[in-house]
Amino acid sequence: MKKSLFLPSWQNVADITLVDRIINHLESDYSVVLKDFNFLDYTRGITFDDELHENGMYIFRFTDGKYYVGKASSCTLLERIAKHIDGRRWGGFNAVLKGLGHQEVNKDYFINNQQVFLQSKVVLFAVSKEVLIKNSNSQNSEKPIHRLENDLIFLFKKRFPQIQLINKTNPRNLSGLFNF
């Protein structure tokens, strides 16, 4: 079986089964290490019925076994992942990068942190806002992708002790927007 950058169909259901599928994928030999990210696989993964769905969710699994769950809602998945690797000290979207490795004050530690980051495994799933709204339990949700991210973070934290997930967000419960 070929390595896969994208999680096969997630059926618009956010539950512990989805989290287990994500974990199993990231722990398998079929997952992609970020340094091996392939643009052809990316463009194939975001194409559905002659439309591009470039927003979505991404999950990193670092070599120390920790996870990070994120969303790309105001930019594409590709842009969002690139922002995580941004080595500028003033980069506003590279908090995960800043938290990796050693952070000696007198050295530029981002080079080492980028190397650690590039060794992580990544899985993506493209999300269409229209599909999310259509398949959610509430038609009034303005930003269902934000609720999906919170649901995944909540479910990951339920599955693992808090130390395994490095997200700072701490949702207290599920949104109830998705089919269970």
Side-chain angles (χ1 to χ4, degrees):
M1 184 175 188
K2 184 181 173 198
K3 290 188 181 264
S4 178
L5 182 59
F6 284 83
L7 187 69
S9 176
W10 66 286
Q11 289 89 25
N12 303 307
V13 176
D15 63 7
I16 202 71
T17 304
L18 175 61
V19 170
D20 287 340
R21 286 182 54 221
I22 291 167
I23 292 166
N24 289 338
H25 180 83
L26 288 170
E27 290 179 354
S28 78
D29 292 335
Y30 303 114
S31 59
V32 173
V33 176
L34 191 56
K35 70 178 180 67
D36 297 328
F37 190 100
N38 179 302
F39 292 106
L40 180 59
D41 291 342
Y42 173 78
T43 56
R44 286 180 181 157
I46 61 171
T47 305
F48 298 95
D49 299 326
D50 295 329
E51 290 183 30
L52 295 178
H53 295 173
E54 293 198 73
N55 297 119
M57 303 299 301
Y58 56 90
I59 299 91
F60 298 117
R61 183 180 189 277
F62 297 95
T63 57
D64 64 1
K66 293 181 180 174
Y67 292 86
Y68 181 83
V69 175
K71 68 178 175 309
S73 60
S74 61
C75 61
T76 68
L77 284 161
L78 185 61
E79 291 170 316
R80 189 63 187 97
I81 290 170
K83 288 178 181 183
H84 273 297
I85 303 169
D86 181 356
R88 299 172 299 160
R89 290 187 187 278
W90 59 86
F93 290 95
N94 61 3
V96 176
L97 179 66
K98 289 174 183 175
L100 298 174
H102 298 285
Q103 299 183 17
E104 297 178 33
V105 176
N106 296 326
K107 289 189 169 185
D108 184 4
Y109 57 87
F110 283 119
I111 293 170
N112 292 332
N113 292 2
Q114 284 174 329
Q115 295 306 311
V116 170
F117 200 88
L118 290 172
Q119 296 303 315
S120 68
K121 290 187 171 185
V122 62
V123 67
L124 312 173
F125 53 98
V127 175
S128 161
K129 182 178 179 182
E130 294 77 22
V131 169
L132 270 183
I133 290 171
K134 184 176 123 185
N135 289 295
S136 71
N137 292 334
S138 171
Q139 298 297 317
N140 298 325
S141 177
E142 293 177 23
K143 298 185 179 182
I145 196 165
H146 299 286
R147 305 291 190 295
L148 177 59
E149 178 190 38
N150 283 340
D151 283 358
L152 284 176
I153 291 169
F154 177 83
L155 292 165
F156 262 88
K157 286 185 176 185
K158 186 175 178 181
R159 174 76 161 71
F160 287 119
Q162 208 161 5
I163 198 164
Q164 288 296 109
L165 191 69
I166 61 176
N167 291 75
K168 302 288 187 218
T169 305
N170 194 21
R172 297 185 189 267
N173 51 34
L174 292 171
S175 68
L177 288 180
F178 305 99
N179 301 320
F180 292 101

